[in-house]
Amino acid sequence: MTAKVTLSFSDETIAEARRFAKREGLSLSAWMDQAAREKALREVFAAHAAAVGRAGLDLESASLADAQEVGMVDDLLFGGRPRAA
C-alpha cells in the first residue's frame, strides 16, 4: 500500500535525488522511498548498537568465540576434512 504525501525539498536536494534515481533506473518516488527506508533502518541499527554498548555486551568477541568453537567441533568430527555442503 502506498500513501501520497506532499513534501518540500530544496532545489539542490531534488536535483540530486532525480540524478541518483535516474542513475539507478528508479522513479523519483521509488528512490525517495528507498532512501527514507534505508535512513530509518540505519537509525534503528545505530540505536541497537548503542544499547548493546551501554549494556556492556561484546558481541564481536562472542561471535568470534562461536566461530572458533564451530571450527574445533568440525576438526573433531571431520578430522580437518571439509564437510559436505
Side-chain angles (χ1 to χ4, degrees):
M1 182 175 220
T2 59
K4 287 206 175 259
V5 296
T6 301
L7 301 170
S8 298
F9 297 96
S10 70
D11 291 338
E12 182 180 325
T13 298
I14 206 68
E16 288 176 2
R18 282 189 173 118
R19 204 168 29 254
F20 286 126
K22 183 177 180 179
R23 183 182 72 190
E24 294 180 26
L26 298 171
S27 67
L28 179 60
S29 292
W31 190 87
M32 295 295 269
D33 181 68
Q34 180 179 316
R37 190 174 321 115
E38 288 174 2
K39 172 66 174 169
L41 286 174
R42 279 193 305 275
E43 292 289 327
V44 168
F45 289 134
H48 179 262
V52 166
R54 285 192 305 274
L57 301 175
D58 187 356
L59 298 180
E60 184 176 0
S61 292
S63 182
L64 291 172
D66 287 347
Q68 184 177 14
E69 188 173 327
V70 167
M72 290 175 7
V73 170
D74 280 353
D75 285 345
L76 287 172
L77 292 175
F78 302 106
R81 295 182 316 272
R83 55 180 157 158

